[in-house]
Amino acid sequence: MKKGRVFSGARPTGRQHIGNYLGAIQNYVKLQEEYDCIYCVVDIHALTTLEDTSMLKENTRQMMLDWLAAGLDPEKSILFIQSHVPEVTELHTLLSMVTPLGWLLRVTTFKEKAKMQPHNVNYGLVGYPVLMTADIVLYKADTVPVGEDQLPHLEIAREIVRRFNNLFGPTFPEPQAKLTSFPMVVGLDGERKMSKSYDNHIELAASPEETTQRIMTAFTDPARKFRSDPGHPEVCNIYRLHHFYTSLKLNEIAEKCKAAAIGCVECKRLLAEGINRALAPFRERRAIIAQKPGYVDEVLADGARRAHEIARVTIKEVKGKMGLP
Ligand code: SF4
């Protein structure tokens, strides 16, 4: 007996990095055992910030290859592309009629995005929380895995649901947050969150050589100028990454670093070995899946078909409750 239905979506950002894996994908994989899971590549959301869409298709395929190789299982979960179930845009429009504009204009991420792209403050940007709500409730999902920083978005979704249910009668479950303590994975620059846009990432599907090369050029403790200087592991990004991939005991690395008994080159080499060892099975699976002609397309088509079956029932119910002729 499953505990409920989970929905989560992610933008098609192409090949995933270890920050994506540690922060979301590994949790998606675990949730499959306890919940009915629906995982969606939100390509329409991507249009709110993307002006060049030429890579959307390829990025979606690459991301899906990573998801599948990481353990998302189309037998257990529905995996699909947001725009392949067009009812979501219909529900977005209907929900927008019960969403006061003031709620949306107050959303912090809208203000931030409007500042970041002043030349392109499009309607989709302000309507983003309504589309996100439609994503969740179209499938009557009751559980949404989120980090603390995403709670305000989910709260808007819950407010929209409450308002709709008050106006038209109980229709949607109020989605509950499944709070997960996502580790904040800092990038190889040692300063910012790991992200492709900062080019401070390690792709899950990178070759062992590329992984090692990127780690060897990463920033470490800025105060440690010479091999003989004692290090400060607590401020070192390589040490943080050892938390996830070390082959040694963490306190052993910390003690050796503080006593200058290990150099940064050696420490990075150990980390690269640890990451390459941990990712070897993933990389093997990914290569096998990538060689199966048409497999990713088949998974996505089957996911869209199963998502569509749920979506059309919901839309029929919503239109009926709203009194549409
Ligand atoms: S030895 Fe390791 S933990 Fe210490 S500063 Fe160098 S890279 Fe960082």
Side-chain angles (χ1 to χ4, degrees), residues 220-221 224 231-233 236 238-239 253 257 262-264 267-268:
T220 61
D221 169 12
R224 195 176 186 200
H232 304 86
C236 174
I238 295 297
Y239 180 65
I253 296 170
C257 171
I262 186 172
C264 293
C267 188
K268 286 174 170 180

Side-chain angles (χ1 to χ4, degrees), residues 15 63 74 83 113 198 201 206 213 247 249:
R15 281 163 49 137
M63 186 161 137
S83 65
K113 292 255 167 72
Y198 301 137
H201 61 292
Q213 188 265 331
S247 52
K249 291 203 172 96

Side-chain angles (χ1 to χ4, degrees), residues 41-52:
V41 181
V42 289
D43 56 341
I44 305 175
H45 280 295
L47 297 178
T48 60
T49 52
L50 267 189
E51 285 168 55
D52 176 6

Side-chain angles (χ1 to χ4, degrees), residues 151-194:
L151 277 177
H153 285 150
L154 190 63
E155 197 42 49
I156 288 213
R158 288 158 55 82
E159 281 179 37
I160 294 172
V161 163
R162 280 197 289 269
R163 195 168 161 91
F164 186 97
N165 288 347
N166 278 340
L167 286 168
F168 302 111
T171 308
F172 302 117
E174 255 184 58
Q176 306 294 320
K178 180 151 182 66
L179 266 179
T180 316
S181 53
F182 300 122
M184 212 289 245
V185 182
V186 178
L188 298 175
D189 55 6
E191 288 178 4
R192 296 171 292 189
K193 189 175 170 180
M194 187 174 281

Side-chain angles (χ1 to χ4, degrees), residues 238-290:
I238 295 297
Y239 180 65
R240 285 192 208 111
L241 288 170
H242 267 294
H243 280 73
F244 309 111
Y245 294 106
T246 194
S247 52
L248 299 176
K249 291 203 172 96
L250 264 180
N251 58 353
E252 198 180 317
I253 296 170
E255 292 314 314
K256 283 186 172 176
C257 171
K258 284 187 215 164
I262 186 172
C264 293
V265 172
E266 172 68 358
C267 188
K268 286 174 170 180
R269 194 183 55 73
L270 288 170
L271 175 65
E273 282 172 11
I275 292 179
N276 284 331
R277 198 179 310 114
L279 291 181
F282 163 88
R283 289 168 175 169
E284 211 172 297
R285 279 195 300 275
R286 193 186 200 276
I288 294 169
I289 298 168

